[in-house]
Amino acid sequence: MAANTTAALRQNVLELMLSLNGIAWPQKVAHLNAYLGESQRAAIEKTLLTPAIREESWIGQAVALIVIYRWYAPQLVEKFALAYPQELEEATLTQLHQLPDWPLSITTD
């Protein structure tokens, strides 16, 4: 279940990245490398690598996705004049903090 949830979150984050690059998800494309910058590819790769299938690995991937989201979402909000879902973000992080080994804070600085 964690692997499927992480994969779905990764797809959402990739859509954020592509949108900021000014494109929609390309149809019938097997690899997105040509549509992402080098730093974007490196960030996404961190969400794919796991030393083993364990809870800590899932948490590491989820944290990496949150860092990417927190970097790109505000830029998209500004670019497209969207409402930032701050309350939803805070509620989600509150739930995640209840997980064992979840970090107390996640910074994007």
Side-chain angles (χ1 to χ4, degrees):
M1 173 138 161
N4 291 340
T5 301
T6 305
L9 292 172
R10 185 178 300 107
Q11 180 151 350
N12 289 338
V13 166
L14 280 165
E15 287 188 52
L16 290 173
M17 292 172 138
L18 293 171
S19 294
L20 200 57
N21 290 351
I23 61 173
W25 192 280
Q27 297 293 319
K28 299 180 183 178
V29 171
H31 304 285
L32 294 173
N33 286 346
Y35 301 96
L36 299 172
E38 187 177 328
S39 63
Q40 291 173 320
R41 287 192 307 271
I44 284 295
E45 285 173 6
K46 289 179 184 175
T47 74
L48 296 169
L49 303 175
T50 57
I53 300 174
R54 294 191 309 247
E55 184 176 306
E56 310 89 61
S57 298
W58 177 84
I59 289 173
Q61 289 178 339
V63 168
L65 287 167
I66 289 170
V67 169
I68 297 168
Y69 170 84
R70 287 179 141 181
W71 178 257
Y72 283 96
Q75 294 177 64
L76 286 165
V77 164
E78 185 176 320
K79 183 174 181 175
F80 297 109
L82 303 169
Y84 192 85
Q86 189 67 44
E87 289 180 11
L88 178 58
E89 180 180 306
E90 290 172 7
T92 301
L93 288 173
T94 297
Q95 288 181 332
L96 289 171
H97 281 129
Q98 296 172 18
L99 295 173
D101 299 324
W102 189 262
L104 295 176
S105 67
I106 300 171
T107 60
T108 56
D109 299 333

